């Protein structure tokens, strides 16, 4: 049976993702610096309070934090989903292969779709492309994380695990029902095993994203006088 080559594929994909993230963060920071300096000069000229942004009602410092956190969330989402895909490959296709795919109880349709029917899944035929597309989806996950982050628990670990729990409930649970069970006839016991594996996968995704994101933007923002 074929499996992904996670280390080789990740080296190919992660470097351009990291460079793009750095360029994106730098461009956001430079753009925000220009905006703040422009408003500061205008405020000084007319005698207005210098730190207040007239469009958003927040300070230049707070707006800088917002764009910095947005870029970290996007980059963190891309890196996190690549890392979680590596964990998924190890759990499902290496450690779990004897139980999931060499088990006589497993549905023949599952085995055929994954390993026999042409064309084979993209993750087997073009790992770098698969990882690149996954990274783009991870950016969207990162932006969702940024959006709901103030409502998540405080603390990097608790926040990451909470986001992982959301991913498990909204993504993994329905996927396992709709595809392996509904479409491929996978036995319930094996679906349950895969759901346990998914807990580890989404926990890694949430933790890596939370670590890269860093401190909450609410903790970093200072009140405007």
């Amino acid at each position: 049976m074929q499996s992904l080559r996670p280390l080789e594929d990740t080296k190919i994909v992660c470097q351009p993702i990291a460079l793009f993230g750095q360029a994106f963060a730098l461009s956001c920071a430079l753009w925000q610096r220009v905006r703040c300096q422009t408003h500061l000069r205008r405020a000084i000229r007319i005698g207005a309070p210098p730190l207040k942004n007239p469009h958003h009602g927040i300070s230049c410092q707070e707006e800088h934090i917002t764009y910095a956190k947005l870029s970290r969330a996007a980059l963190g989402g891309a890196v996190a989903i690549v890392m979680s895909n590596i964990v998924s490959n190890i759990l499902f296709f290496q450690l779990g292969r004897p139980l999931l795919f060499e088990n006589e109880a497993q549905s023949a349709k599952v085995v055929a779709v994954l390993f026999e029917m042409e064309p084979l899944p993209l993750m087997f035929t073009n790992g770098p492309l698969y990882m690149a597309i996954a990274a783009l989806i991870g950016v969207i996950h990162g932006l969702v994380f940024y959006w709901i982050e103030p409502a998540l628990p405080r603390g990097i670990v608790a926040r990451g695990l909470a986001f992982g729990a959301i991913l498990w409930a909204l993504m993994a649970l329905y996927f396992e029902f709709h595809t392996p069970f509904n479409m491929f006839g996978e036995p319930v016991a094996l679906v349950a095993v895969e759901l346990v594996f998914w807990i580890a996968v989404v926990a890694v995704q949430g933790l890596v994203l939370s670590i890269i994101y860093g401190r909450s933007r609410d903790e970093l923002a200072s009140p405007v006088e």
Side-chain angles (χ1 to χ4, degrees):
M1 271 184 270
Q2 303 184 50
S3 63
L4 289 171
R5 299 174 301 167
L7 295 180
E8 292 82 351
D9 293 342
T10 304
K11 289 178 183 177
I12 296 173
V13 175
C14 282
Q15 187 174 5
I17 290 173
L19 292 174
F20 171 79
Q22 292 172 3
F24 179 72
L26 179 60
S27 62
C28 286
L30 290 174
W31 178 65
Q32 180 57 25
R33 184 177 180 86
V34 170
R35 288 190 62 193
C36 284
Q37 289 180 343
T38 302
H39 177 64
L40 178 61
R41 288 193 295 269
R42 184 184 303 117
I44 292 174
R45 188 168 60 249
I46 66 175
L51 291 180
K52 200 72 171 179
N53 184 314
H55 301 292
H56 304 292
I58 61 176
S59 69
C60 285
Q61 179 186 6
E62 288 172 322
E63 194 167 356
H64 171 74
I65 291 171
T66 298
Y67 284 107
K69 283 302 184 183
L70 190 62
S71 62
R72 289 174 73 96
L75 175 62
V79 174
I81 204 168
V82 170
M83 297 300 296
S84 68
N85 265 278
I86 295 173
V87 173
S88 174
N89 174 69
I90 292 172
L91 289 176
F92 283 83
F93 296 104
Q94 296 181 33
L95 297 179
R97 184 172 65 183
L99 176 61
L100 293 177
F101 306 119
E102 297 175 0
N103 188 337
E104 292 183 356
Q106 180 59 278
S107 167
K109 187 181 291 187
V110 170
V111 176
V113 168
L114 284 174
F115 307 111
E116 298 171 0
M117 294 176 59
E118 297 289 346
L120 294 174
L122 181 65
M123 61 183 179
F124 296 146
T125 59
N126 194 337
L129 177 59
Y130 173 85
M131 286 290 201
I133 297 172
L136 293 177
I137 296 172
V139 170
I140 298 175
H141 286 190
L143 297 179
V144 172
F145 176 89
Y146 171 84
W147 182 34
I148 68 172
E149 180 262 323
L152 295 175
R154 289 295 171 258
I156 288 177
V157 173
R159 182 181 63 192
L161 292 177
F163 188 68
I166 292 171
L167 291 175
W168 189 89
L170 299 183
M171 179 183 67
L173 193 59
Y174 182 77
F175 166 78
E176 287 292 332
F177 158 71
H178 180 69
T179 304
F181 177 76
N182 171 58
M183 298 180 66
F184 298 155
E186 186 170 55
V188 173
L190 297 183
V191 170
V193 171
E194 292 173 357
L195 285 172
V196 173
F197 286 172
W198 270 107
I199 294 174
V201 172
V202 295
V204 168
Q205 184 176 352
L207 287 171
V208 171
L209 174 52
S210 186
I211 290 169
I212 294 175
Y213 185 82
R215 294 173 60 191
S216 169
R217 62 184 185 271
D218 292 340
E219 296 173 5
L220 294 174
S222 59
V224 179
E225 298 297 336

